[in-house]
Protein backbone atom coordinates (compact mmCIF):
# COMPACT_ATOMS: atom_id res chain seq x y z
CA UNK A 1 0.00 0.00 0.00
CA UNK A 2 1.27 3.47 -0.83
CA UNK A 3 1.82 6.16 1.78
CA UNK A 4 -0.11 8.67 -0.36
CA UNK A 5 -3.20 6.45 -0.07
CA UNK A 6 -2.96 6.57 3.73
CA UNK A 7 -2.53 10.35 3.64
CA UNK A 8 -5.51 10.81 1.30
CA UNK A 9 -7.66 8.61 3.54
CA UNK A 10 -6.61 10.65 6.60
CA UNK A 11 -7.46 13.89 4.79
CA UNK A 12 -10.87 12.42 3.90
CA UNK A 13 -11.41 11.52 7.57
CA UNK A 14 -10.74 15.14 8.42
CA UNK A 15 -13.24 16.30 5.77
CA UNK A 16 -10.56 18.27 3.94
CA UNK A 17 -11.04 17.92 0.19
CA UNK A 18 -8.47 20.67 -0.35
CA UNK A 19 -5.90 18.57 1.52
CA UNK A 20 -6.83 15.50 -0.54
CA UNK A 21 -6.04 17.39 -3.75
CA UNK A 22 -2.85 18.82 -2.19
CA UNK A 23 -1.63 15.31 -1.36
CA UNK A 24 -2.45 14.13 -4.88
CA UNK A 25 -0.55 17.04 -6.44
CA UNK A 26 2.41 16.50 -4.08
CA UNK A 27 2.47 12.85 -5.18
CA UNK A 28 2.52 13.97 -8.83
CA UNK A 29 5.60 16.09 -8.07
CA UNK A 30 7.14 13.14 -6.20
CA UNK A 31 10.86 13.99 -6.22
CA UNK A 32 10.16 17.40 -4.68
CA UNK A 33 9.65 17.48 -0.91
CA UNK A 34 6.07 18.30 0.15
CA UNK A 35 5.40 21.60 1.90
CA UNK A 36 2.78 23.08 4.20
CA UNK A 37 0.01 20.88 5.49
CA UNK A 38 1.05 17.97 3.26
CA UNK A 39 4.47 17.97 4.95
CA UNK A 40 2.73 18.05 8.34
CA UNK A 41 0.53 15.14 7.29
CA UNK A 42 3.63 13.19 6.19
CA UNK A 43 5.32 13.92 9.54
CA UNK A 44 2.21 12.69 11.33
CA UNK A 45 2.37 9.52 9.25
CA UNK A 46 6.01 9.03 10.31
CA UNK A 47 5.00 9.30 13.98
CA UNK A 48 2.21 6.75 13.59
CA UNK A 49 4.39 4.36 11.59
CA UNK A 50 7.10 4.52 14.25
CA UNK A 51 4.59 3.92 17.03
CA UNK A 52 3.16 0.87 15.32
CA UNK A 53 6.62 -0.47 14.43
CA UNK A 54 8.19 0.09 17.84
CA UNK A 55 5.26 -0.70 20.15
CA UNK A 56 2.85 -3.04 18.37
CA UNK A 57 4.27 -4.84 15.34
CA UNK A 58 8.07 -4.86 15.35
CA UNK A 59 9.71 -4.95 11.94
CA UNK A 60 12.22 -7.80 11.82
CA UNK A 61 15.25 -8.35 9.65
CA UNK A 62 17.99 -10.95 9.46
CA UNK A 63 21.44 -10.26 8.04
CA UNK A 64 24.53 -12.36 7.64
CA UNK A 65 27.69 -10.40 8.39
CA UNK A 66 31.32 -11.28 8.88
CA UNK A 67 33.29 -10.23 11.92
CA UNK A 68 37.06 -10.17 11.91
CA UNK A 69 37.62 -9.03 15.48
CA UNK A 70 34.60 -10.34 17.39
CA UNK A 71 32.49 -7.19 16.97
CA UNK A 72 29.84 -6.02 14.54
CA UNK A 73 29.34 -2.28 14.18
CA UNK A 74 25.71 -1.22 13.79
CA UNK A 75 26.61 1.04 10.86
CA UNK A 76 27.36 -2.12 8.83
CA UNK A 77 23.70 -3.20 9.05
CA UNK A 78 21.37 -2.28 6.19
CA UNK A 79 18.87 -0.82 8.70
CA UNK A 80 19.57 0.71 12.11
CA UNK A 81 18.77 -1.95 14.75
CA UNK A 82 16.42 -1.17 17.62
CA UNK A 83 16.70 -4.52 19.42
CA UNK A 84 18.92 -7.50 18.65
CA UNK A 85 16.88 -10.68 19.08
CA UNK A 86 19.42 -13.41 18.34
CA UNK A 87 22.82 -14.11 16.83
CA UNK A 88 23.75 -17.42 15.19
CA UNK A 89 26.90 -18.83 13.69
CA UNK A 90 27.16 -22.05 11.64
CA UNK A 91 26.65 -24.16 14.80
CA UNK A 92 23.67 -22.37 16.32
CA UNK A 93 22.90 -19.55 18.72
CA UNK A 94 25.79 -17.70 20.32
CA UNK A 95 26.01 -15.35 23.28
CA UNK A 96 26.40 -11.67 22.50
CA UNK A 97 26.62 -8.33 24.26
CA UNK A 98 24.94 -5.19 22.97
CA UNK A 99 26.79 -1.89 23.23
CA UNK A 100 25.60 1.50 21.97
CA UNK A 101 27.37 1.25 18.61
CA UNK A 102 28.22 -2.44 18.22
CA UNK A 103 27.70 -6.06 19.15
CA UNK A 104 30.38 -8.02 20.93
CA UNK A 105 30.55 -11.66 19.79
CA UNK A 106 32.54 -14.67 21.03
CA UNK A 107 35.06 -14.50 18.19
CA UNK A 108 35.61 -13.84 14.53
CA UNK A 109 33.52 -15.52 11.85
CA UNK A 110 30.26 -15.24 9.96
CA UNK A 111 27.14 -14.50 11.99
CA UNK A 112 23.44 -14.21 11.21
CA UNK A 113 21.84 -11.46 13.28
CA UNK A 114 18.07 -11.25 13.75
CA UNK A 115 16.95 -7.81 14.89
CA UNK A 116 14.09 -5.33 14.91
CA UNK A 117 14.39 -1.95 13.26
CA UNK A 118 12.58 1.35 12.95
CA UNK A 119 11.12 2.27 9.56
CA UNK A 120 13.02 4.68 7.34
CA UNK A 121 11.84 8.25 6.82
CA UNK A 122 8.71 8.05 4.67
CA UNK A 123 8.40 9.52 1.20
CA UNK A 124 4.98 10.44 -0.16
CA UNK A 125 5.41 8.07 -3.11
CA UNK A 126 6.84 5.21 -1.05
CA UNK A 127 5.37 2.01 0.30
CA UNK A 128 4.31 1.55 3.91
CA UNK A 129 6.62 -0.56 6.04
CA UNK A 130 3.90 -3.06 6.97
CA UNK A 131 2.17 -6.04 5.46
CA UNK A 132 -1.58 -6.32 4.95
CA UNK A 133 -2.15 -6.90 8.68
CA UNK A 134 -1.84 -3.14 9.19
CA UNK A 135 -4.52 -1.57 7.02
CA UNK A 136 -4.61 1.88 5.48
CA UNK A 137 -7.63 2.67 7.66
CA UNK A 138 -5.71 1.85 10.84
CA UNK A 139 -2.79 4.07 9.87
CA UNK A 140 -5.05 6.88 8.62
CA UNK A 141 -6.90 7.04 11.95
CA UNK A 142 -3.58 7.55 13.71
CA UNK A 143 -2.49 10.16 11.16
CA UNK A 144 -5.76 12.07 11.59
CA UNK A 145 -5.28 12.03 15.36
CA UNK A 146 -1.71 13.35 15.14
CA UNK A 147 -2.73 16.02 12.60
CA UNK A 148 -5.51 17.26 14.88
CA UNK A 149 -3.17 17.30 17.89
CA UNK A 150 -0.70 19.41 15.91
CA UNK A 151 -3.53 21.80 15.03
CA UNK A 152 -4.58 22.08 18.69
CA UNK A 153 -7.97 20.43 18.17
CA UNK A 154 -7.73 18.13 21.20
CA UNK A 155 -11.37 17.01 21.52
CA UNK A 156 -11.46 15.83 17.91
CA UNK A 157 -8.03 14.23 18.30
CA UNK A 158 -9.33 12.18 21.25
CA UNK A 159 -12.07 10.73 19.03
CA UNK A 160 -9.55 9.67 16.37
CA UNK A 161 -7.18 8.35 19.05
CA UNK A 162 -9.94 6.03 20.26
CA UNK A 163 -10.64 4.89 16.69
CA UNK A 164 -6.91 4.23 16.19
CA UNK A 165 -6.70 2.18 19.41
CA UNK A 166 -9.85 0.25 18.45
CA UNK A 167 -8.36 -0.53 15.03
CA UNK A 168 -5.16 -1.76 16.72
CA UNK A 169 -7.22 -4.03 18.98
CA UNK A 170 -9.26 -5.32 16.02
CA UNK A 171 -6.06 -6.15 14.13
CA UNK A 172 -4.73 -7.99 17.18
CA UNK A 173 -1.86 -5.54 17.61
CA UNK A 174 -2.82 -3.85 20.86
CA UNK A 175 -0.52 -4.47 23.77
CA UNK A 176 -2.14 -5.65 26.94
CA UNK A 177 -2.08 -3.25 29.84
CA UNK A 178 0.38 -4.41 32.43
CA UNK A 179 -0.68 -4.34 36.02
CA UNK A 180 0.77 -5.54 39.28
CA UNK A 181 -1.48 -7.14 41.82
CA UNK A 182 -1.90 -5.25 45.05
CA UNK A 183 0.23 -6.49 47.92
CA UNK A 184 -1.14 -6.82 51.42
CA UNK A 185 0.63 -6.78 54.74
CA UNK A 186 -0.72 -9.44 57.03
Amino acid sequence: MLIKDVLILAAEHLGRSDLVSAVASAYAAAPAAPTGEVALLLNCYALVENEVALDHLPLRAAETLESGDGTLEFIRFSRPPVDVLSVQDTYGEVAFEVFPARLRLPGSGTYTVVYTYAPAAPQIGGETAFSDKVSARLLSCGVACEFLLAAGRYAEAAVWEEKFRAALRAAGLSRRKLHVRARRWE
Side-chain angles (χ1 to χ4, degrees), residues 90-108:
T90 55
Y91 303 107
E93 298 241 352
V94 297
F96 61 92
E97 286 183 87
V98 179
F99 291 96
R102 61 184 159 78
L103 285 176
R104 183 185 298 162
L105 303 165
S108 61

Side-chain angles (χ1 to χ4, degrees), residues 59-63 77-79 81 83-85 113-117:
L59 300 170
R60 293 178 184 229
E63 287 189 49
F77 288 69
S78 64
R79 300 174 178 104
D83 188 22
V84 177
L85 303 174
V113 182
V114 178
Y115 61 95
T116 62
Y117 63 93

Side-chain angles (χ1 to χ4, degrees), residues 7-29:
L7 299 182
I8 287 173
L9 191 56
E12 288 172 352
H13 289 328
L14 297 169
R16 297 276 311 270
S17 59
D18 61 324
L19 193 53
V20 170
S21 60
V23 169
S25 65
Y27 176 71

Side-chain angles (χ1 to χ4, degrees), residues 1 6 44-60 116-119 128-131 133-143 146 164-165 167-169 171-175:
M1 126 184 66
V6 175
C44 293
Y45 172 81
L47 291 172
V48 171
E49 187 177 51
N50 277 333
E51 178 183 344
V52 172
L54 297 178
D55 295 343
H56 303 287
L57 184 66
L59 300 170
R60 293 178 184 229
T116 62
Y117 63 93
T128 62
F130 304 107
S131 64
K133 188 167 188 170
V134 178
S135 67
R137 180 189 168 279
L138 185 150
L139 292 172
S140 67
C141 288
V143 171
E146 292 293 333
F164 176 62
R165 299 291 168 209
L168 284 170
R169 282 191 299 277
L173 300 176
S174 182
R175 292 174 50 182

